């Protein structure tokens, strides 16, 4: 029996050392017993059924696994779940409220910033972190900030437009 | 890809971390940013018995200039802390130029300067920067602290001179003797790729006269290339076109590039020469602060 | 989608995509997102070498690991006539290697386990004894007259050419080249592409 996730094995399998961690995911505290080697991406995808965070390359290149940890973008395939103990993690599932999309999600929709959608969660979270630090980025600044996220479909042009659209909406809303 | 099993501790003090390393007798590995270690765990190229996570130790995530002008970078200072630092931009231009070129923006939120130097990747940007700047590391073990000069720190690819029970707690860049100038240029086919060639140039200037110069290269040899001897040709000199050409040629000759899919060795040598010139010319035409 | 967003029009009328609503919310349901009750996970053990005879495979340690349900070898597949499968180009491809591995990365064993970490651990415990043979790693080597034969599994196979395909009028093509003012030649290397569902 798997010893990784509380939902499947409330008691750890015999002899396998687990660690109890509490991670605040999208605003809710989640407590799980995990093996130290569990990757944060797998905690999210398998332990918490949040499959919006994707594993693209598994080699720290593509950024499809990007989540926000304490507000900063992190490649979740390159972080151990135990390192998120006591930290706040935001995934794509935490962007929208019950009734409204986040302006970044709106922007990707309005400006055709996605095709297959695989890179999109990572792109949006990196963009969110950028706009928090720089609410009025230039196109170059957007391209630079998103240079850790790869896209095979769009050629990036509409992704940049989507972020510019979102930036303008967020500036207008904050007035 | 998934790591093999390991024991894991997240101590809250440096002393506890050192005790764990000591007890591990060489089978324990420090986890800081993890941007080099975790990929190696996933590939199972690294399979330590125990991971000692230092991210919960307070007081390590700093970078500061002391009154004497030396720069101290703590073990948990992330690449992006240096990238976004206005003080670094003003006072340590070589570091300011290199920081945005390390890996990619997401890796930079976790990866650490000190961890990167300890990882001793022959391609490492910070190793070249440390050599050019003449930096040293402060390390701490069960018997206390000691310093290791950067040039004595890297023994070979992915091998450093730390004892198994020591942690590098700080990198120190000595105070410039005059005005710190310099730059870092990296040719990569795309963000995050290994460098085709990288050049770190660190100058201490008095007007247009060089007090001290340091140059190091990454990506053009099996290890960081220390070109401080060639850079010393500039000591006491003005940054004239002739001097710049001479140093650039000497540094390019010191490089040991290999022909591969990133380019021929001639091409890489030409890049080194061009980058050295470009950085030096930019310093010569800059008005003194 | 709001009614006022639906514009009725013919060719050239712009449309909002219907799939974006799922993707931007992280509800894409890509292949690896699928979760089924009682789902198991597979990891494949691959050959580290390009050409070798398989002398033996010891899967006993893998079978012993808690959480491992099945350790498949080519021999088990062959017993069920499942070790080779037909391809689209009228060839056959190995599902799991039986006598030899014929390319680096070729599938040798498959472990089915309760979670992917355990499956990976089990693969690491499988011991394969390879007798390494000379590798062929590009078409030029493969075409050399003294090249070692890779596909000795194909009855009647001589050398390494397994596929011969021609279309068009050779005589007219040769004449066009012969009559040309200038003949230019370029060598292109196409890396192998492998489509994968996301």
């Amino acid at each position: 029996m798997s010893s990784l996730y509380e939902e499947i094995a409330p008691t750890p399998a015999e002899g396998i050392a687990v660690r109890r961690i509490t991670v605040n995911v999208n605003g809710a505290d989640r407590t799980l017993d995990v093996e130290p080697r569990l990757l944060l991406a797998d905690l999210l995808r398998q332990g918490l059924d949040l499959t919006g965070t994707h594993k693209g390359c598994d080699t720290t290149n593509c950024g499809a696994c990007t989540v926000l940890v304490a507000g900063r973008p992190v490649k979740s395939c390159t972080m151990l779940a135990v390192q998120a103990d006591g930290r706040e993690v935001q995934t794509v599932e935490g962007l929208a409220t019950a009734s409204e999309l986040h302006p970044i999600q709106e922007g990707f929709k309005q400006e055709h910033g996605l095709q297959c959608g695989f890179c999109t969660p990572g792109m949006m979270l990196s963009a969110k972190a950028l706009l928090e630090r720089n609410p009025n980025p230039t196109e170059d600044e957007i391209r630079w900030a998103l240079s850790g996220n790869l896209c095979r479909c769009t050629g990036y042009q509409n992704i940049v437009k989507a972020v510019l659209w979102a930036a303008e909406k967020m500036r207008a809303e904050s007035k | 890809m998934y790591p093999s099993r390991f024991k894991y501790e997240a101590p809250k003090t440096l002393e506890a971390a050192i005790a764990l390393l000591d007890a591990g007798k060489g089978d324990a590995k420090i986890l800081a940013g993890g941007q080099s270690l975790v990929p190696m765990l996933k590939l199972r190229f690294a399979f330590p018995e125990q991971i000692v996570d230092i991210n919960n130790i307070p007081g390590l995530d700093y970078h500061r200039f002391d009154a004497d002008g030396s720069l101290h970078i703590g073990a948990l200072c992330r690449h992006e802390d240096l990238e976004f630092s206005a003080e670094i931009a003003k006072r340590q231009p070589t570091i300011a130029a290199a920081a945005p070129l390390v890996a990619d923006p997401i890796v930079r939120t976790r990866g650490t300067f000190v961890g990167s130097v300890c990882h001793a990747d022959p391609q490492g940007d910070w190793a070249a920067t440390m050599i050019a700047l003449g930096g040293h590391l402060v390390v701490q073990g069960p018997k206390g602290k000691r310093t290791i000069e950067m040039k004595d720190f890297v023994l070979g690819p992915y091998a450093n001179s730390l004892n198994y029970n020591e942690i590098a707690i700080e990198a120190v860049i000595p105070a410039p003797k005059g005005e710190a100038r310099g730059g870092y240029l990296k040719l990569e086919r795309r963000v995050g790729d290994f460098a085709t060639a990288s050049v770190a140039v660190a100058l201490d200037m008095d007007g247009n006269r060089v007090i001290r110069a340091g140059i190091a290269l990454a990506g053009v040899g099996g290890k960081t290339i220390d070109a401080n001897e060639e850079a010393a040709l500039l000591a006491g000199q003005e940054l004239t076109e002739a001097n710049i050409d001479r140093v650039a040629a000497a540094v390019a000759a010191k490089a040991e590039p290999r022909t591969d899919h990133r380019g021929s060795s001639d091409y890489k040598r030409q890049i080194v020469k061009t980058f050295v010139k470009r950085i030096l010319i930019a310093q010569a035409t800059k008005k003194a602060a | 989608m709001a009614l006022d967003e639906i514009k009725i029009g013919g060719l050239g009328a712009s449309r909002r995509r219907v799939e974006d609503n799922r993707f931007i919310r992280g509800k894409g349901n890509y292949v690896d997102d699928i979760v089924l009750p009682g789902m198991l996970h597979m990891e494949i053990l691959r050959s580290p070498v390009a050409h070798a005879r398989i002398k033996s495979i010891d899967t006993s340690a893998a079978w012993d690991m808690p959480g491992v349900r099945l350790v498949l070898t080519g021999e088990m597949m062959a017993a069920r006539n499942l070790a080779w499968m037909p391809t689209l180009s009228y060839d056959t491809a190995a599902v799991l290697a039986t006598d030899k591995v014929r390319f680096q990365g070729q599938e040798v064993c498959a472990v089915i386990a309760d979670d992917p970490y355990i499956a990976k651990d089990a693969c690491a415990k499988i011991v394969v004894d390879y007798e390494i043979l000379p590798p062929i790693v590009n078409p030029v080597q493969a075409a050399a007259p003294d090249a070692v034969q890779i596909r000795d599994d194909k009855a009647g196979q001589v050398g390494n050419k397994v596929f011969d395909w021609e279309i068009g009028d050779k005589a007219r093509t040769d004449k066009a080249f012969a009559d040309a003012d200038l003949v230019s030649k370029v060598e292109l290397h196409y890396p192998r592409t492998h489509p994968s569902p996301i």
Side-chain angles (χ1 to χ4, degrees):
Chain A
M1 270 293 260
S2 165
S3 64
L4 290 167
Y5 324 115
E6 65 174 3
E7 283 85 4
I8 299 172
T11 48
E14 218 167 307
I16 308 296
V18 293
R19 198 173 174 89
R20 179 152 295 181
I21 61 172
T22 300
V23 186
N24 185 286
V25 182
N26 297 327
D29 275 348
R30 307 295 296 268
T31 300
L32 299 101
D33 290 336
V34 301
E35 279 196 65
R37 64 171 173 162
L38 179 69
L39 300 169
L40 178 59
D42 292 326
L43 175 74
L44 297 168
R45 289 176 53 74
Q46 291 165 330
L48 299 175
D49 290 329
L50 297 167
T51 56
T53 301
H54 301 141
K55 283 166 93 169
C57 68
D58 217 5
T59 54
T60 322
N61 273 290
C62 75
C65 66
T66 304
V67 299
L68 300 181
V69 177
R72 297 306 294 147
V74 169
K75 293 183 176 182
S76 62
C77 78
T78 312
M79 186 169 175
L80 304 175
V82 289
Q83 293 183 273
D85 187 19
R87 269 72 168 181
E88 283 178 11
V89 176
Q90 187 175 42
T91 71
V92 61
E93 291 90 345
L95 278 177
T97 65
S99 52
E100 260 181 19
L101 291 176
H102 191 282
I104 287 175
Q105 290 170 300
E106 278 269 23
F108 273 74
K109 197 171 140 173
Q110 295 291 335
E111 295 289 352
H112 189 31
L114 66 152
Q115 291 181 25
C116 80
F118 201 76
C119 76
T120 308
M123 285 286 180
M124 293 193 300
L125 290 166
S126 285
K128 178 168 190 264
L130 165 69
L131 295 180
E132 259 150 35
R133 288 201 164 182
N134 182 354
N136 195 2
T138 63
E139 197 180 306
D140 268 356
E141 285 168 335
I142 293 172
R143 288 178 183 275
W144 189 260
L146 298 185
S147 58
N149 296 88
L150 300 179
C151 173
R152 285 295 276 130
C153 296
T154 67
Y156 304 97
Q157 196 66 14
N158 287 345
I159 291 176
V160 174
K161 283 191 191 169
V163 179
L164 285 167
W165 188 102
E168 196 184 316
K169 177 128 198 260
M170 286 166 74
R171 285 194 307 272
E173 280 178 354
S174 72
K175 286 205 170 63
Chain B
M1 291 181 298
Y2 308 104
S4 48
R5 286 203 172 99
F6 47 78
K7 295 202 281 265
Y8 170 89
E9 293 292 340
K12 300 236 172 48
T13 67
L14 209 46
E15 288 68 30
I18 291 168
L20 284 163
L21 287 182
D22 198 33
K25 298 270 176 285
D27 269 328
K29 215 47 195 114
I30 294 287
L31 172 65
Q35 302 303 285
S36 297
L37 180 59
V38 175
M40 291 181 85
L41 293 174
K42 288 164 69 177
L43 286 166
R44 302 197 178 194
F45 288 172
F47 32 88
E49 279 280 309
Q50 167 151 90
I51 296 284
V52 180
D53 181 350
I54 61 170
N55 286 283
N56 297 319
I57 300 176
L60 294 177
D61 61 339
Y62 62 89
H63 69 275
R64 61 159 205 279
F65 286 91
D66 273 358
D68 65 1
S70 59
L71 171 63
H72 298 255
I73 300 174
L76 289 178
C77 176
R78 316 278 174 187
H79 304 304
E80 74 166 8
D81 296 336
L82 299 169
E83 182 184 355
F84 295 130
S85 162
E87 249 210 309
I88 296 275
K90 207 163 45 148
R91 300 175 67 172
Q92 279 290 348
T94 307
I95 292 183
L101 299 175
V102 173
D104 66 56
I106 310 177
V107 168
R108 293 200 289 275
T109 69
R110 297 292 305 167
T112 63
F113 180 103
V114 172
S116 167
V117 173
C118 290
H119 184 59
D121 185 334
Q123 296 273 356
D125 300 306
W126 290 134
T129 307
M130 280 281 274
I131 297 262
L133 285 165
H136 65 262
L137 289 159
V138 178
V139 316
Q140 187 167 336
K143 298 205 182 80
K145 294 186 198 174
R146 65 185 181 108
T147 63
I148 308 179
E149 289 297 317
M150 185 60 202
K151 59 177 168 50
D152 301 324
F153 185 67
V154 175
L155 301 175
Y158 310 106
N160 64 46
S161 59
L162 289 171
N163 291 328
Y164 70 86
N165 52 15
E166 287 178 314
I167 304 180
I169 58 170
E170 188 179 81
V172 181
I173 311 292
K177 297 177 176 55
E179 186 204 346
R181 302 228 222 111
Y184 190 91
L185 287 174
K186 177 173 177 175
L187 181 67
E188 48 187 359
R189 295 176 302 168
R190 59 168 185 81
V191 169
D193 193 9
F194 288 118
T196 305
S198 294
V199 175
V201 175
L203 302 170
D204 286 348
M205 309 276 300
D206 175 16
N208 198 36
R209 196 178 62 86
V210 175
I211 303 171
R212 179 207 170 259
I215 297 180
L217 314 174
V220 283
K223 59 184 195 316
T224 312
I225 304 286
D226 183 337
N228 282 332
E229 214 178 284
E230 287 71 16
L233 292 170
L234 287 171
Q237 306 284 321
E238 302 265 317
L239 281 180
T240 63
E241 195 181 321
N243 284 338
I244 290 174
D245 281 349
R246 190 163 357 112
V247 169
V251 172
K254 190 77 182 274
E256 298 165 13
R258 288 173 206 151
T259 296
D260 63 16
H261 51 288
R262 288 186 184 81
S264 70
S265 76
D266 278 349
Y267 170 72
K268 295 179 185 185
R269 217 178 276 283
Q270 178 66 15
I271 298 292
V272 168
K273 190 163 96 171
T274 306
F275 278 178
V276 172
K277 279 179 72 168
R278 208 175 271 184
I279 297 171
L280 290 175
I281 288 170
Q283 306 319 306
T285 53
K286 212 179 275 193
K287 296 199 174 15
Chain C
M1 203 184 309
L3 278 175
D4 59 6
E5 279 196 311
I6 304 172
K7 284 201 289 238
I8 308 300
L11 284 171
S14 177
R15 292 248 179 280
R16 286 262 174 257
R17 285 160 39 108
V18 299
E19 60 269 53
D20 284 0
N21 288 325
R22 289 189 293 125
F23 293 154
I24 58 178
R25 286 172 174 80
K27 304 277 178 219
N29 208 36
Y30 301 90
V31 171
D32 197 46
D33 299 343
I34 296 168
V35 177
L36 300 171
M39 191 169 83
L40 300 171
H41 299 262
M42 178 174 75
E43 178 74 48
I44 294 181
L45 180 70
R46 297 180 177 277
S47 164
V49 295
H51 192 204
R53 202 169 316 279
I54 297 176
K55 285 161 68 181
S56 66
I57 304 180
D58 182 358
T59 58
S60 51
W63 276 106
D64 280 340
M65 295 188 72
V68 170
R69 306 295 193 99
L70 179 66
V71 183
L72 266 178
T73 63
E75 197 183 314
M76 292 163 69
M77 300 289 280
R80 293 157 176 81
N81 207 21
L82 292 171
W84 291 86
M85 63 180 185
T87 73
L88 289 173
S89 47
Y90 311 106
D91 193 359
T92 51
V95 179
L96 289 179
T98 49
D99 57 328
K100 283 193 345 183
V101 289
R102 293 177 170 86
F103 60 92
Q104 188 186 40
Q106 180 170 1
E107 302 80 359
V108 177
C109 298
V111 171
I112 314 290
D114 288 340
D115 76 58
Y117 287 68
I118 293 174
K120 185 74 189 185
D121 290 342
C123 276
K125 286 276 204 272
I126 298 172
V127 183
V128 183
D129 191 6
Y130 293 107
E131 181 198 319
I132 296 180
L133 300 169
I136 301 281
V137 295
N138 65 54
V140 174
Q141 281 182 358
D146 57 344
V148 63
Q149 188 183 53
I150 302 293
R151 294 301 302 277
D152 51 354
D153 60 287
K154 290 163 73 80
Q157 174 68 33
V158 173
N160 286 314
K161 190 191 284 188
V162 292
F163 198 53
D164 208 332
W165 182 84
E166 205 174 272
I167 191 166
D169 184 330
K170 187 172 197 310
R172 282 179 65 195
T173 306
D174 287 346
K175 185 173 190 316
F177 274 95
D179 293 345
D181 291 328
L182 179 71
V183 174
S184 186
K185 197 169 155 179
V186 65
E187 193 175 283
L188 299 170
H189 294 249
Y190 280 90
R192 179 158 181 232
T193 55
H194 188 99
S196 269
I198 50 169

